[in-house]
Amino acid sequence: MATVKEKTIQPAPSSLKASVWEHFGFYCLEGKPDLDKENAICKVCRTKVKHYGNTTNMRAHMSHHHPEMKIKDGEKLETVTLPANQQTLFQCTKLPPNTARAKKITRSIAYFISKDLRPYSTIENEGFQHMLHTIEPRYTVPSCRLFAENAIPQLYQSTKERVSVTLKKATRVALTCDAWTSRAVESYVTFTAHYITDDWQLETRAHMNELFQDVSKEWHLPTSDLVIVTDNAANMTAAVQLGSFTHVKCFAHTINLAAQRALKLPRFGEFHRSHIASRVLQQKQKLLDLPPHKLKTDVSTRWNSAFNMMDRFLEQQPAICAALLSSEVRKGGTDICTLKEVDVTNAEEMAMALKPLKEATVIMSEDSTPTLSVIAPLHAQLLHDTETGFSGEMPIVREIKQTVHEDLSKRYCTVREKSMLHTASTLDPRFKALPFLSQDEQQDIYSKVIAEAAALKAETQKEHAKEPGAPDEGQDDQHSPVPKRRTTALLNLLGKTFTDSGAAPKSASTRAEEEMTLSEDPLIWWRNHETVFPLLAKLAKNYLCIPGTSLASESVFSTAGDIVTAQRSMLSSEHVDQLLFLQKNLEVEA
């Protein structure tokens, strides 16, 4: 890399006799031998210092930036060495707390506490204070009380105002919620708001409150248009009914209830309760060259735990069988492991019977895209896959399918629920053909969608006309990001429905086209077709912003657990709300 040649600093004229000129000079004017006396040049750091015919600026520069240089009129300049523990004048000068820089540093510390979930007491730690002193020696770190009662609340208020503005612009807002209890045995209800922006991005915001009505009032959300997504708990259902809100029950939780009802089997993870059995299992894993994984147990509150338990059991089945046959384990007694021979034999068959439920759970657990539109086709497919009467099935497989089928048949069976789910599926380009419904049911849903779109147009005409955002013409559908795991699960479950529906056989190109439609993100599709179908696009925003799972609210629990730790169990609910809200909604500041 070529280097830029530095200008030569010319000595000050002999007429300038002050001793400070030993360290200053001038550049020459461009193309001329004359000196540029408007700016004096420091010979130590080559900084330009404005020259007004006196030495005030030069002395100030030397005092602030080169205090080791002793300057005295009438005497020769001499260099003095400061003691290692002696600070310079610049370092000793305190930064007033009301200056812009001090306020910016304080706000950045508040951002750090909120975004990284650090205790207020972090600012008192020796390492943190040493780091800040190194970065800015003049800054004085405020007290914990200032952050708890001033800096964090101010950051919370400004962030809340920004989120409130975006919520008011949303066509529709859907809420998911769930309840949890902290270490301090305090009950909280966590809400997440979901809405679609003008450029068809799904946004999620987290907040805590006690009642649905309070949330709608606080954020100015119309209760008549508000949709609440919760699990199937009786208290949640009752709370929604009291508020007369539109209610959607979490499909992932519904699948879990059906799976747990079917899985009345011994748990496959009892080895960890016996030191002997656990040690023998590890020996067999090494001998059979199997991964040294521990066995898992199913937990009723974790959606995929039953499936993960069976997958791990099948992975380790050779080592488990070898351990069970070991004389060392047999001598330990039958109480250390409740596995039966029939369970080992039937585990693979049972896993295959439950595989559709696992894939459906994987789909619903992805919170990056709206999933209400997926409930109806998934529900219909699972009912189809769990129908019994097939010859050659093992009795235990038939029992699992029958139990799951009976449980799912009781879900989403009201007219209101069906209408909402089917409308959402119609507005999703992947499922708009509604192949899981009869022709009469399809026509009925299409008629309702047309009527609702027309009513929406009449309603919007009364309001102030909003200029729609122009679509990005340079963006091609084929370059749109596609969630791979979700696509694979959808194709596995619904591929048959989409490619085999209809009497006439379909060509390979037709099937490929249908599978491409099935794999496309509905929000990306609507962003690229909004101007072609403007009425339906508005209606799609009303439905596709509603998630089919309350996972977003439940995932907040881990964040809240990081806030209300054993060391911070005495945090007030107000502070917990502020920190949780900021952690989920803060944006990086410039």
Side-chain angles (χ1 to χ4, degrees):
M1 181 181 294
T3 57
V4 179
K5 186 177 181 180
E6 293 184 348
K7 293 182 178 180
T8 302
I9 300 176
Q10 302 296 330
S14 58
S15 59
L16 302 176
K17 300 184 180 298
S19 58
V20 73
W21 286 108
E22 293 283 342
H23 276 271
F24 284 89
F26 296 102
Y27 286 144
C28 290
L29 293 170
E30 291 291 339
K32 298 181 180 180
D34 300 332
L35 298 178
D36 179 9
K37 294 185 179 181
E38 288 188 5
N39 296 289
I41 311 301
C42 176
K43 295 179 180 179
V44 180
C45 62
R46 306 186 76 87
T47 300
K48 287 185 178 181
V49 179
K50 206 71 176 175
H51 178 231
Y52 294 102
N54 55 50
T55 61
T56 303
N57 288 347
M58 277 76 80
R59 291 182 181 277
H61 175 81
M62 296 299 292
S63 175
H64 288 164
H65 299 284
H66 310 294
E68 71 278 6
M69 307 301 295
K70 185 178 179 182
I71 304 172
K72 212 171 198 180
D73 283 338
E75 292 185 5
K76 185 177 177 64
L77 283 173
E78 59 183 68
T79 302
V80 296
T81 304
L82 295 177
N85 60 348
Q86 183 175 339
Q87 294 181 319
T88 65
L89 180 63
F90 176 81
Q91 293 171 322
C92 293
T93 305
K94 295 300 181 182
L95 193 64
N98 59 344
T99 60
R101 176 160 175 76
K103 289 179 179 179
K104 187 174 183 179
I105 295 175
T106 301
R107 187 176 176 87
S108 69
I109 296 175
Y111 182 95
F112 160 73
I113 291 174
S114 305
K115 200 65 179 176
D116 292 352
L117 301 179
R118 297 295 91 194
Y120 295 124
S121 59
T122 298
I123 63 174
E124 297 177 346
N125 293 345
E126 182 180 351
F128 183 83
Q129 296 221 355
H130 174 74
M131 177 187 68
L132 273 186
H133 182 73
T134 303
I135 295 172
E136 178 52 86
R138 299 178 299 162
Y139 177 76
T140 302
V141 182
S143 64
C144 292
R145 185 174 180 179
L146 182 138
F147 283 99
E149 298 180 2
N150 193 336
I152 297 293
Q154 286 180 3
L155 191 60
Y156 170 79
Q157 192 59 40
S158 61
T159 305
K160 187 176 180 180
E161 290 173 359
R162 176 180 55 78
V163 172
S164 180
V165 170
T166 60
L167 289 178
K168 289 179 182 178
K169 294 179 180 179
T171 305
R172 188 183 201 176
V173 177
L175 297 179
T176 62
C177 75
D178 212 336
W180 63 284
T181 304
S182 70
R183 287 175 174 264
V185 200
E186 286 194 63
S187 298
Y188 297 91
V189 179
T190 302
F191 293 87
T192 56
H194 307 259
Y195 60 95
I196 297 175
T197 61
D198 291 339
D199 59 347
W200 291 92
Q201 297 292 326
L202 181 66
E203 294 288 340
T204 301
R205 305 295 179 185
H207 181 57
M208 289 197 312
N209 211 314
E210 295 180 358
L211 299 172
F212 297 110
Q213 291 84 353
D214 292 343
V215 173
S216 61
K217 291 178 182 178
E218 183 177 359
W219 297 98
H220 308 289
L221 303 175
T223 55
S224 59
D225 200 35
L226 200 59
V227 180
I228 309 290
V229 183
T230 72
D231 59 21
N232 292 264
N235 60 338
M236 285 295 178
T237 302
V240 175
Q241 290 175 348
L242 287 175
S244 301
F245 300 113
T246 302
H247 187 207
V248 176
K249 294 181 180 178
C250 171
F251 190 55
H253 189 254
T254 299
I255 297 172
N256 181 64
L257 292 177
Q260 290 294 335
R261 184 180 174 189
L263 276 179
K264 297 178 180 179
L265 304 170
R267 298 178 184 267
F268 295 143
E270 303 297 332
F271 277 92
H272 74 278
R273 297 186 181 181
S274 166
H275 175 72
I276 297 175
S278 178
R279 179 169 52 80
V280 173
L281 179 62
Q282 292 176 5
Q283 292 174 352
K284 301 302 180 183
Q285 287 173 334
K286 291 181 180 179
L287 185 63
L288 297 170
D289 197 23
L290 291 173
H293 296 157
K294 294 182 179 179
L295 299 183
K296 294 183 177 181
T297 58
D298 61 314
V299 182
S300 59
T301 56
R302 296 180 182 176
W303 298 338
N304 252 359
S305 62
F307 312 117
N308 294 335
M309 173 192 69
M310 297 194 70
D311 282 346
R312 181 59 56 82
F313 172 75
L314 291 174
E315 174 194 86
Q316 298 293 333
Q317 183 174 338
I320 293 172
C321 294
L324 288 174
L325 295 174
S326 170
S327 59
E328 192 173 358
V329 172
R330 289 179 179 273
K331 289 178 181 179
T334 57
D335 59 321
I336 64 172
C337 184
T338 58
L339 290 171
K340 299 178 182 178
E341 185 177 351
V342 65
D343 298 331
V344 178
T345 306
N346 297 338
E348 192 167 353
E349 292 291 334
M350 290 187 294
M352 290 300 297
L354 292 171
K355 185 178 179 181
L357 275 73
K358 179 179 180 179
E359 291 180 338
T361 303
V362 170
I363 295 170
M364 300 306 298
S365 297
E366 294 179 353
D367 198 49
S368 58
T369 55
T371 52
L372 180 70
S373 58
V374 184
I375 292 181
L378 281 183
H379 186 251
Q381 188 67 47
L382 291 177
L383 287 174
H384 176 270
D385 290 344
T386 54
E387 288 179 347
T388 57
F390 299 102
S391 59
E393 288 183 340
M394 300 179 66
I396 192 169
V397 173
R398 288 199 300 270
E399 182 182 353
I400 289 175
K401 287 187 174 182
Q402 182 178 354
T403 303
V404 172
H405 190 89
E406 290 176 355
D407 191 90
L408 292 178
S409 297
K410 297 182 294 184
R411 314 287 182 178
Y412 310 106
C413 54
T414 67
V415 175
R416 185 176 183 180
E417 287 176 323
K418 287 183 177 180
S419 177
M420 187 171 193
L421 297 181
H422 292 165
T423 301
S425 297
T426 305
L427 295 168
D428 190 319
R430 300 169 296 179
F431 316 119
K432 61 183 179 181
L434 304 177
F436 49 89
L437 298 179
S438 65
Q439 290 188 355
D440 291 340
E441 290 173 323
Q442 291 173 4
Q443 293 302 320
D444 184 44
I445 291 298
Y446 293 152
S447 299
K448 289 181 179 178
V449 170
I450 293 172
E452 190 170 350
L456 184 61
K457 178 183 179 182
E459 181 180 345
T460 53
Q461 285 178 341
K462 297 178 183 179
E463 301 175 355
H464 184 268
K466 294 182 179 181
E467 184 178 355
D472 188 359
E473 297 179 359
Q475 187 169 12
D476 195 332
D477 285 2
Q478 64 182 349
H479 298 300
S480 302
V482 177
K484 295 182 179 180
R485 185 177 61 167
R486 180 187 177 89
T487 300
T488 302
L490 276 173
L491 289 174
N492 287 343
L493 277 179
L494 303 180
K496 287 188 304 181
T497 304
F498 276 74
T499 56
D500 295 341
S501 59
K506 299 181 180 181
S507 65
S509 59
T510 303
R511 292 191 176 191
E513 183 179 354
E514 289 175 340
E515 290 188 3
M516 283 298 296
T517 303
L518 185 59
S519 67
E520 189 169 21
D521 189 321
L523 297 188
I524 295 175
W525 190 93
W526 275 111
R527 184 175 64 199
N528 296 327
H529 296 81
E530 182 177 12
T531 55
V532 182
F533 310 106
L535 291 181
L536 291 179
K538 292 181 180 179
L539 193 60
K541 280 189 176 180
N542 280 354
Y543 282 90
L544 297 184
C545 69
I546 307 171
T549 170
S550 59
L551 174 64
S553 292
E554 295 192 16
S555 65
V556 177
F557 292 171
S558 58
T559 303
D562 291 336
I563 295 174
V564 190
T565 60
Q567 292 78 16
R568 293 192 287 171
S569 59
M570 299 307 294
L571 272 177
S572 67
S573 57
E574 181 182 8
H575 286 159
V576 174
D577 176 31
Q578 290 176 358
L579 293 172
L580 179 61
F581 178 81
L582 288 172
Q583 201 279 333
K584 293 295 182 182
N585 300 289
L586 261 180
E587 294 181 354
V588 178
E589 297 180 339

